[in-house]
Amino acid sequence: MRKPIRHVMHSSALVGALSLGLSGATTAHATPNLDYAALGDSYSAGSGVLPVDPANLLCLRSTANYPHLIAARTGAHLKDVTCGGAQTKHFSEAQYPGVAPQLDAVTADTDLVTLTIGGNDNNTFINAVTACGSAGLLSGGKGSPCKDKHGTSFDDRIEANTYPAVKAALQRLHAKAPGARVAVLGYPWITPATAEPGCFAKLPIASGDVPYLRGIQAHLNAVVQRAAEETGSTYVDFSQVSDGHDACKAGGTRWIEPLLFGTSVVPVHPNALGERRMAEHAMDVLGLG
């Protein structure tokens, strides 16, 4: 049976929220006894954000990722099985020896599930960023060599493979926890809408390929949103709130670290600020804060 979310202020939740730097701390809502399972890939795991969870170094999971921040803010009981590099198939099968399928963390008593997933299917993120970065360096930042070479291939695989895989994974999740609220987070913007002066040194994407790469990410988010809506999940949209916080921006403004000259050992991923903002926005959408 799903536990009701009780809107009760606790002083410990307020102190925790202030220490974590989450906005709106004066209206924090604690949800005692909320069973919360966090699933997903490196954007959920907070890969590259310190401190690293020593429980599983292979997954490069941070104890300052957005699931931990949400749990600290709400007082929820968290089971975090997020893992860097996870694909939708790892909901149902082991990603590494000794690492259980992520859906094993979900039971009929689970109240809340959050996740990001889909970006690693077809190696979409790594292949697109690597291909466009390599092409950008060879072209000296001019033209659209990545788009010229790859055309719609990334988009075709997202539509044909990623969308049905995400939908099927969400269906399996709901079957295991029919009373849970499932929140699927979109991916915050990696690139700006168009090329910006000075960005090439940090994100070596040719000027004509910057909107191309952003379009691929927009398509990925769109199919994740479609799968979420078709399975009765809540989609947490970052298309507006993350605009202006891409990897081209200065430290303290960007949520995503650049490919070069960043501050994280895992480039093109959320930094600590990005994980905090993901927690904040997810809580706003879910009515948890």
Side-chain angles (χ1 to χ4, degrees), residues 21 92 100 137 139 144 225 243 252:
S92 301
L137 287 170
S139 72
S144 54
Q225 180 176 9
D243 206 20

Side-chain angles (χ1 to χ4, degrees), residues 83-105:
C83 194
Q87 301 179 24
T88 52
K89 66 181 181 180
H90 297 125
F91 279 18
S92 301
E93 63 183 65
Q95 184 173 347
Y96 301 110
V99 176
Q102 292 194 14
L103 281 178
D104 284 10

Side-chain angles (χ1 to χ4, degrees), residues 3-50:
K3 304 178 185 68
I5 296 177
R6 294 188 288 153
H7 300 302
V8 181
M9 171 68 80
H10 283 250
S11 60
S12 60
L14 177 59
V15 171
L18 288 170
S19 66
L20 289 167
L22 295 175
S23 66
T26 57
T27 59
H29 294 168
T31 53
N33 303 316
L34 189 69
D35 288 329
Y36 171 23
L39 281 58
D41 56 27
S42 52
Y43 274 54
S44 290
S47 299
V49 176
L50 298 177

Side-chain angles (χ1 to χ4, degrees), residues 42-163:
S42 52
Y43 274 54
S44 290
S47 299
V49 176
L50 298 177
V52 177
D53 184 353
N56 191 321
L57 297 178
L58 287 174
C59 285
L60 203 60
R61 181 189 306 132
S62 171
T63 57
N65 61 9
Y66 76 74
H68 276 80
L69 300 181
I70 291 173
R73 178 76 177 275
T74 61
H77 173 68
L78 172 66
K79 188 165 187 179
D80 186 356
V81 294
T82 59
C83 194
Q87 301 179 24
T88 52
K89 66 181 181 180
H90 297 125
F91 279 18
S92 301
E93 63 183 65
Q95 184 173 347
Y96 301 110
V99 176
Q102 292 194 14
L103 281 178
D104 284 10
V106 178
T107 70
D109 293 326
T110 301
D111 301 300
L112 173 66
V113 181
T114 63
L115 61 131
T116 56
I117 202 68
N120 293 317
D121 286 48
N122 314 301
N123 292 317
T124 297
F125 271 154
I126 185 64
N127 285 354
V129 171
T130 301
C132 292
S134 298
L137 287 170
L138 290 173
S139 72
K142 298 178 180 179
S144 54
C146 192
K147 179 181 178 180
D148 296 343
K149 179 177 180 180
H150 296 281
T152 65
S153 61
F154 294 112
D155 287 305
D156 294 343
R157 288 192 290 271
I158 288 170
E159 195 66 39
N161 302 325
T162 305
Y163 160 64

